[in-house]
Amino acid sequence: MPVLYCLLMFLILFVDTLPFLSDIVSISNMFLSDNQVDYSSSYENIFVPSDNNGDTVDASDVDFPGINKQFGELNIKGRGVSSKLFFGDGAVPLRNGVGIYAGSFIPGYGKTILVAGHNNTYFNGLKNVEKGDIVSIKTSYGNYEYKITKTKIAGDGDKTAYDLSADKENLVMYTCYPFDELGLTQKRYFVYAEKVSGPEIVGLYD
C-alpha cells in the first residue's frame, strides 16, 4: 500500500509540473550548454545589406517584413548589443534576436519603433548604454542611426512609457528589469533614442 501511494503521489506531481518542463529544459540548455541553440529553421531571413544612406527610399523598393521575418540588424557599438532584427516580438524573434512590436513601425516610416529583447541575452547590454550612444539599424532598404537621449525604469503595464502615436521617428528599446534575472519581471528598462540619419520611406500612400 505505501508503495502504491508513493507511485500515485509521484504521478500527480509529474502531471502538475509537465506544463513547465519544456521551459525549465530550455532555460537550462541556454545556460548549461556550450553550443548555442539554432532556431534558424523557424524563421525566414529577408535581410540583404544595403548601401542606401540617403534621404529617401521609395515604398515600392521596400520588402516589408512579415511576422517572424528577420529584415535587419541592430547594434550599439561598444555596449554589448549586436543582434538580428525581426518584425514581431513573439517567441521566434526573441529566441534569435530582438523584435519590433507589430503595433509600432519599421525604420523609415517616421513613427515610433518599439523593440523588445530578453534581458539575459540580446538586450543584456542595454545596462551599459549611455546618453549620446548611437544605435545602428541596418535593413535591406537603408541604414539608420539613432542617438540615445535617456533611459527609464517603468512598470510592466505602464503604457505611458512609450508613444505609438508620435509624429516623428523615434526608437524605443526595452527589456525586463532587473538585468540577468530569469523569467518575466514586474519592471521594464526602457532606452529612448531619436533619429539621426537614414532614408524616409516615400510613396506609402500613392
Side-chain angles (χ1 to χ4, degrees):
M1 188 71 176
V3 174
L4 184 61
Y5 177 78
C6 289
L7 286 173
L8 183 61
M9 291 304 294
F10 177 80
L11 184 61
I12 290 171
L13 284 173
F14 178 78
V15 171
D16 283 345
T17 58
L18 195 58
F20 306 103
L21 284 179
S22 62
D23 291 336
I24 293 169
V25 170
S26 296
I27 291 170
S28 299
N29 285 340
M30 182 169 64
F31 287 98
L32 301 177
S33 175
D34 291 333
N35 300 317
Q36 186 172 1
V37 179
D38 180 17
Y39 293 100
S40 59
S41 60
S42 302
Y43 67 87
E44 181 183 355
N45 180 6
I46 63 171
F47 173 56
V48 178
S50 168
D51 59 1
N52 184 4
N53 298 307
D55 295 326
T56 62
V57 59
D58 195 274
S60 62
D61 295 325
V62 177
D63 186 3
F64 288 91
I67 294 293
N68 293 345
K69 289 187 177 182
Q70 182 199 348
F71 74 104
E73 294 176 344
L74 185 150
N75 294 279
I76 308 176
K77 189 175 181 181
R79 301 302 184 192
V81 178
S82 180
S83 175
K84 298 171 184 177
L85 178 64
F86 293 80
F87 187 69
D89 58 357
V92 170
L94 298 191
R95 283 172 179 162
N96 295 281
V98 299
I100 293 178
Y101 168 57
S104 64
F105 300 86
I106 61 174
Y109 215 95
K111 299 285 187 178
T112 300
I113 307 158
L114 184 60
V115 184
H118 284 316
N119 61 341
N120 47 30
T121 55
Y122 297 99
F123 263 176
N124 184 264
L126 287 186
K127 64 187 177 186
N128 303 318
V129 303
E130 296 179 359
K131 182 178 178 180
D133 285 348
I134 296 297
V135 184
S136 169
I137 293 181
K138 296 181 178 181
T139 73
S140 299
Y141 55 87
N143 302 313
Y144 297 82
E145 289 189 341
Y146 302 84
K147 182 185 287 186
I148 293 176
T149 57
K150 64 178 181 177
T151 62
K152 173 183 176 180
I153 298 169
D156 60 349
D158 187 355
K159 304 297 184 187
T160 66
Y162 51 88
D163 181 9
L164 297 182
S165 64
D167 58 1
K168 68 176 183 178
E169 187 155 325
N170 67 102
L171 173 66
V172 182
M173 300 172 288
Y174 75 98
T175 190
C176 286
Y177 183 86
F179 289 97
D180 303 312
E181 189 163 320
L182 291 178
L184 292 175
T185 65
Q186 294 183 340
K187 292 183 179 179
R188 299 290 180 268
Y189 190 81
F190 287 87
V191 177
Y192 302 88
E194 59 186 19
K195 184 181 176 184
V196 174
S197 64
E200 175 189 359
I201 302 174
V202 296
L204 284 165
Y205 307 106
D206 293 350

